[in-house]
């Protein structure tokens, strides 16, 4: 009897424990179901395509949303790594694979990459891929889970904004044409006068009958020299307006000298002294035409400020320095300084300290856009007393634009 009672109690305890385990399993199943539903709703709401890569056996799961982004149904695409690899744009594949491998090797805390994927109907969609790897105790990646987000609309908007900026830069250049013509007039006035004087001297000597071969040769050489100068001036201005979307290897001093060749005579006529302090920086790789546009704009602004506010000892001081990766150009003038309330807005579009006839308010905004977005550098301004300084820092080697982040 006692044995039966003991067995009964033990069975009861086991039954209770079993029922508890069943309840726990049911609760876990319910929690898992709720979590699964939440994740599914979240991914559906965000339209993020989920993928789960088993690195050990090479299988790769793609969610229905992932396949739908590419125009396929659930059963149209096999769950293999080649499904992803074969649909990545050829121009993006190398950088995408590099980003994956860098994360698997533990070089990056997460995988993140922007690339194009081929849609079923043949067009390309832009996709932001993000993921995280799981590692075994030996440090080897065994699994990688992540999502893809369709950012095609964002890329189109980005392209539209870039196109608008390019248009504004072009408009800014065209607006400068009138000023360029004025600078050409300054550049040409003296050589044209010399040519006219040489020609007149030859005519007078002919009329008087005392022209010599030496005099004729000297006057002709003077005309040729001045004509060559005029030709060089044309080339300088043509270089400013010539379109060039290719990066070039140049010395920043040479780009600056191009700007001075264009505006230098105008500075001389307004009795502005220009000094340059430079350290040898070697060649840089950048968009030299756009950098030339920035230099010209800053020099022109300094000139106008000096003419308006400074009566004597007008000067522009330029300092060029560099470190291992960047090169810095500082352009300072003593043109009266910039008020504190104004300097905060100096790079805003359509903000100008000039009157409507002489200023569009786009020059400094375009300069900032070129330096920061096109040349991947920085531009800043400081003003103290009568002195204003613009500082430009750009990388020595402007890297190629890549799809990954």
């Amino acid at each position: 009897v006692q044995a039966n009672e003991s067995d009964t109690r033990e069975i009861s305890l086991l039954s209770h424990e079993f029922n508890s385990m069943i309840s726990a399993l049911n609760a876990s199943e319910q929690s898992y179901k709720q979590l699964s539903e939440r994740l599914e709703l979240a991914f559906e709401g965000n339209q993020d395509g989920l993928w789960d890569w088993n690195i050990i056996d090479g299988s790769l799961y793609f969610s229905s949303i992932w396949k739908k982004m590419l125009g396929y149904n659930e059963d149209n695409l096999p769950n293999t790594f080649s499904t992803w690899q074969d649909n990545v744009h050829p121009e993006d594949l190398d950088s995408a694979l590099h980003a994956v491998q860098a994360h698997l090797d533990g070089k990056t805390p997460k995988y993140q990459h922007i690339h194009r994927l081929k849609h079923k109907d043949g067009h390309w969609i832009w996709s932001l891929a993000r993921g995280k790897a799981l590692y075994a105790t030996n440090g080897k990646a065994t699994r990688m889970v992540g999502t893809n987000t369709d950012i095609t609309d964002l890329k189109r908007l980005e392209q539209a904004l870039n196109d608008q900026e390019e248009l504004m830069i072009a408009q800014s250049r065209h607006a400068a044409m009138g000023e360029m013509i004025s600078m050409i007039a300054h550049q040409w006035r003296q050589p044209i006068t010399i040519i006219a004087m040489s020609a007149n001297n030859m005519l007078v000597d002919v009329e008087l009958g005392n022209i010599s071969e030496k005099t004729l040769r000297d006057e002709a050489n003077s005309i040729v020299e001045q004509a060559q100068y005029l030709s060089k001036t044309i080339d300088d201005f043509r270089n400013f307006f010539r379109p060039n979307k290719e990066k070039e290897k140049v010395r920043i001093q040479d780009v600056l000298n191009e700007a001075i060749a264009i505006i230098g005579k105008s500075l001389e006529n307004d009795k502005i002294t220009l000094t340059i302090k430079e350290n040898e920086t070697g060649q840089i790789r950048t968009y030299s035409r756009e950098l030339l546009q920035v230099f010209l704009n800053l020099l022109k602004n300094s000139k106008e400020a000096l003419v308006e506010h400074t009566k004597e000892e007008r000067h522009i001081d330029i300092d060029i320095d560099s470190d291992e990766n960047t090169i810095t150009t500082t352009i300072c003038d003593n043109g009266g300084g910039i008020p504190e309330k104004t300097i905060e807005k100096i790079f805003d579009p359509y903000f100008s300290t000039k009157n409507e006839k002489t200023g569009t308010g786009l020059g400094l905004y375009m300069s900032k856009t070129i330096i920061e977005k096109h040349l991947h550098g920085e531009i800043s301004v400081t003003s103290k007393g009568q002195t204003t300084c613009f500082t430009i820092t750009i990388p020595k080697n402007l890297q190629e634009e890549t799809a990954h982040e």
Side-chain angles (χ1 to χ4, degrees), residues 53 58-60 62 78-87 97 100:
W53 180 25
S59 63
L60 183 57
F62 298 105
N79 289 328
T80 61
F81 188 83
S82 62
T83 293
W84 170 79
Q85 184 170 313
D86 293 345
N87 283 284
L97 290 172
V100 170

Side-chain angles (χ1 to χ4, degrees), residues 85-298:
Q85 184 170 313
D86 293 345
N87 283 284
V88 176
H89 195 287
E91 294 178 3
D92 303 337
L93 182 58
D94 285 345
S95 63
L97 290 172
H98 177 77
V100 170
Q101 193 60 51
H103 179 58
L104 295 181
D105 293 340
K107 296 178 180 178
T108 57
K110 63 180 179 179
Y111 163 68
Q112 183 163 308
H113 192 271
I114 293 176
H115 51 261
R116 287 161 288 182
L117 292 171
K118 191 173 184 179
H119 193 275
K120 182 181 179 181
D121 63 14
H123 75 271
W124 297 94
I125 66 167
W126 283 98
S127 174
L128 168 60
R130 289 169 287 194
K132 187 81 173 176
L134 299 176
Y135 299 89
T137 54
N138 61 3
K140 296 291 185 180
T142 60
R143 183 182 179 190
M144 189 170 173
V145 181
T147 61
N148 279 71
T149 305
D150 187 344
I151 59 169
T152 305
D153 290 341
L154 289 177
K155 277 291 185 177
R156 287 172 180 163
L157 178 59
E158 179 184 327
Q159 184 60 50
L161 291 174
N162 288 338
D163 291 344
Q164 184 179 20
E165 285 180 355
E166 291 290 342
L167 179 61
M168 292 178 73
I169 290 174
Q171 289 174 338
S172 178
R173 282 196 175 196
H174 292 155
M177 287 185 70
E179 297 166 350
M180 295 292 108
I181 292 173
S182 176
M183 292 178 190
I184 290 174
H186 283 298
Q187 298 279 62
W188 279 20
R189 186 173 289 119
Q190 183 177 355
I192 287 177
T193 300
I194 293 174
I195 289 172
M197 289 178 59
S198 296
N200 186 64
N201 290 340
M202 286 190 292
L203 289 173
V204 170
D205 288 341
V206 169
E207 290 292 329
L208 295 176
N210 61 355
I211 190 168
S212 67
E213 182 179 345
K214 181 180 183 305
T215 299
L216 184 62
R217 188 183 299 277
D218 289 344
E219 297 294 352
N221 285 335
S222 176
I223 291 175
V224 170
E225 181 181 343
Q226 298 306 317
Q228 289 174 343
Y229 177 83
L230 293 177
S231 178
K232 181 179 181 303
T233 303
I234 292 173
D235 290 338
D236 290 338
F237 283 87
R238 184 171 59 189
N239 283 341
F240 172 72
F241 286 106
R242 69 179 170 90
N244 186 359
K245 297 299 181 183
E246 299 297 325
K247 301 182 187 72
E248 299 175 289
K249 284 188 175 181
V250 295
R251 294 174 70 250
I252 201 164
Q253 291 91 334
D254 293 338
V255 179
L256 185 59
N257 287 336
E258 283 189 71
I260 294 171
I262 294 173
I263 199 173
K265 188 62 67 174
S266 178
L267 298 179
E268 288 179 20
N269 292 338
D270 288 314
K271 296 180 173 57
I272 297 172
T273 301
L274 179 68
T275 60
I276 302 176
K277 178 184 176 182
E278 60 181 81
N279 298 311
E280 181 55 43
T281 58
Q283 287 189 323
I284 63 173
R285 183 171 176 272
T286 191
Y287 295 111
S288 64
R289 299 303 91 194
E290 297 195 359
L291 184 59
L292 173 62
Q293 182 177 351
V294 173
F295 283 157
L296 272 174
N297 185 59
L298 295 181

Side-chain angles (χ1 to χ4, degrees), residues 169 172-173 240 252 255-256 259 263 287-302 329 331 347 362-372 374-375 378-380 390-394:
I169 290 174
S172 178
R173 282 196 175 196
F240 172 72
I252 201 164
V255 179
L256 185 59
I263 199 173
Y287 295 111
S288 64
R289 299 303 91 194
E290 297 195 359
L291 184 59
L292 173 62
Q293 182 177 351
V294 173
F295 283 157
L296 272 174
N297 185 59
L298 295 181
L299 290 172
K300 178 177 67 69
N301 284 353
S302 290
T329 306
I331 301 175
F347 293 112
L362 284 177
L364 288 176
Y365 170 71
M366 286 294 97
S367 296
K368 182 178 177 68
T369 299
I370 289 171
I371 294 298
E372 294 185 352
H374 293 211
L375 307 186
E378 297 177 355
I379 183 171
S380 62
F390 284 88
T391 301
I392 298 170
T393 301
I394 60 174

